[in-house]
Amino acid sequence: MAEQTSSSVTIEAEPATIMSVIADFESYPTWATAVKVVEVRSTYDDGRAKEVRFVLDAGAIKDDYTLAYTWKGNREVRWTLVEGKVVKALDGSYTLRPKGRGQTEVTYQLSVDVVFPMIGLIKRKAEKVIIDTALKELKKHVEQRQ
């Protein structure tokens, strides 16, 4: 990944529980506010998504894009942009690290580039908002399911 932004949060759940929520793309529109439509286009033999299309409405950024995913068990998932209209690069990952006592540290890394000119500092700030919102929503959704 090129320049990227990252942040972490501790979630009261085991890595397998958290990764199952991350892998359940069809449910994203019910808890991830910016995600309006999700379509899993292809899967690996284990059933996890290989390629996923998203329709996003995050206020200033609205897009219809497709991401390709790679999974490392319940430890990590990485994605990269296949195609998009506004987004021209979107690389990211969730890394899960067990902390004991039913807690997991989740680190989200993200690098985004868009078709219109944007100063690097503003790009990093936008990435930070995306990451913080995603982690907050993921934590809330996982912990409410317990």
Side-chain angles (χ1 to χ4, degrees):
M1 276 186 242
E3 278 189 63
Q4 59 183 325
T5 303
S6 70
S7 190
S8 299
V9 68
T10 297
I11 298 179
E12 299 287 333
E14 297 294 333
T17 301
I18 298 166
M19 196 59 84
S20 72
V21 169
I22 292 169
D24 183 11
F25 292 104
E26 288 88 354
S27 75
Y28 278 34
T30 66
W31 62 270
T33 54
V35 179
K36 302 306 176 192
V37 176
V38 177
E39 173 193 354
V40 175
R41 292 194 163 165
S42 64
T43 60
Y44 291 99
D45 291 340
D46 66 1
R48 284 195 168 161
K50 187 174 190 177
E51 199 170 281
V52 182
R53 177 183 160 252
F54 294 87
V55 175
L56 183 76
D57 184 348
I61 297 182
K62 296 172 178 40
D63 203 1
D64 184 334
Y65 59 89
T66 301
L67 301 177
Y69 286 84
T70 55
W71 304 84
K72 290 184 182 174
N74 291 320
R75 295 182 328 272
E76 182 181 80
V77 58
R78 293 189 165 278
W79 58 88
T80 189
L81 184 70
V82 174
E83 62 180 342
K85 293 178 172 64
V86 174
V87 178
K88 68 178 183 179
L90 180 60
D91 298 311
S93 68
Y94 279 114
T95 304
L96 282 59
R97 189 174 62 84
K99 293 181 70 176
R101 297 183 317 278
Q103 295 183 329
T104 303
E105 180 182 64
V106 179
T107 301
Y108 184 168
Q109 295 182 329
L110 184 66
S111 176
V112 178
D113 200 5
V114 291
V115 294
F116 49 86
M118 188 181 282
I119 298 169
L121 179 64
I122 294 172
K123 230 184 275 189
R124 300 291 87 77
K125 187 171 180 119
E127 289 170 352
K128 180 77 170 142
V129 169
I130 292 166
I131 288 170
D132 289 347
T133 300
L135 286 173
K136 180 181 77 176
E137 290 178 338
L138 176 64
K139 177 179 174 67
K140 181 179 177 184
H141 184 67
V142 168
E143 291 179 353
Q144 283 180 341
R145 288 177 38 146
Q146 303 257 35

